[in-house]
């Protein structure tokens, strides 16, 4: 191409560079369209993953709230009211009288001067069972 005598040292260097450049292919530049399509796919994948994660998080929070609102979910809270705690009965003392009196065997009736089976009169004693 260039004569080394005509251009001197610069001509030889230039010839060497042209030989190197002619022997190799240029690297392929990516297309702007291909880059935009790949970027759009990446954005859609990220958006789908984030919205799915947010949906799972919302479902977990709602489930936890519903479970907490159910009666009996708290170990300290009961849905059935319990009787107040009373001390256990002692066996070393005298027995306390019962709170309910025993049923009398005869029903007292007012003693009036009337006798007989007139309306409104009741027998003087109730029958024994």
């Amino acid at each position: 191409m260039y004569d080394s005598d005509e251009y001197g040292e610069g001509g030889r260097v230039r010839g060497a560079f042209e030989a190197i450049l002619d022997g190799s292919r240029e690297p392929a530049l990516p297309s702007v369209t291909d880059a935009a399509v790949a970027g759009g796919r990446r954005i859609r994948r990220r958006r789908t993953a984030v919205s799915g994660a947010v949906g799972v998080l919302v479902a977990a929070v709602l489930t936890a709230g519903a479970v907490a609102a159910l009666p009996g979910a708290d170990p300290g809270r009961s849905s059935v009211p319990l009787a107040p705690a009373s001390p256990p009965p002692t066996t070393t003392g005298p027995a306390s009288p019962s709170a309910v009196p025993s049923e009398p065997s005869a029903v007292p009736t007012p003693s009036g001067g009337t006798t007989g089976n007139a309306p409104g009169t009741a027998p003087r004693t109730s029958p024994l069972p």
Side-chain angles (χ1 to χ4, degrees), residues 3 14 19 27 41 49 53 59 61 66 72 74 83 91 102 104-105 114 120 123 126-127:
D3 190 12
R14 181 172 288 194
R41 284 187 192 134
V61 167
D74 186 19
T91 58
S102 62
S105 61
T114 60
S126 49

Side-chain angles (χ1 to χ4, degrees), residues 58-74:
V58 167
V61 167
L62 290 176
T63 302
V67 167
L70 290 175
D74 186 19

Side-chain angles (χ1 to χ4, degrees), residues 15-108:
F17 275 122
E18 286 179 358
I20 292 171
L21 291 176
D22 287 340
S24 64
R25 291 184 46 195
E26 292 183 15
L29 295 175
S31 170
V32 175
T33 307
D34 293 338
V37 169
R41 284 187 192 134
R42 188 179 318 115
I43 290 171
R44 278 192 299 276
R45 279 193 305 258
R46 183 180 305 146
R47 191 177 296 156
T48 301
V50 168
S51 64
V54 168
V56 168
L57 181 64
V58 167
V61 167
L62 290 176
T63 302
V67 167
L70 290 175
D74 186 19
R77 184 177 66 182
S78 175
S79 62
V80 178
L82 301 175
S86 63
T90 59
T91 58
T92 58
S96 62
S98 65
V100 179
S102 62
E103 221 175 283
S105 61
V107 177

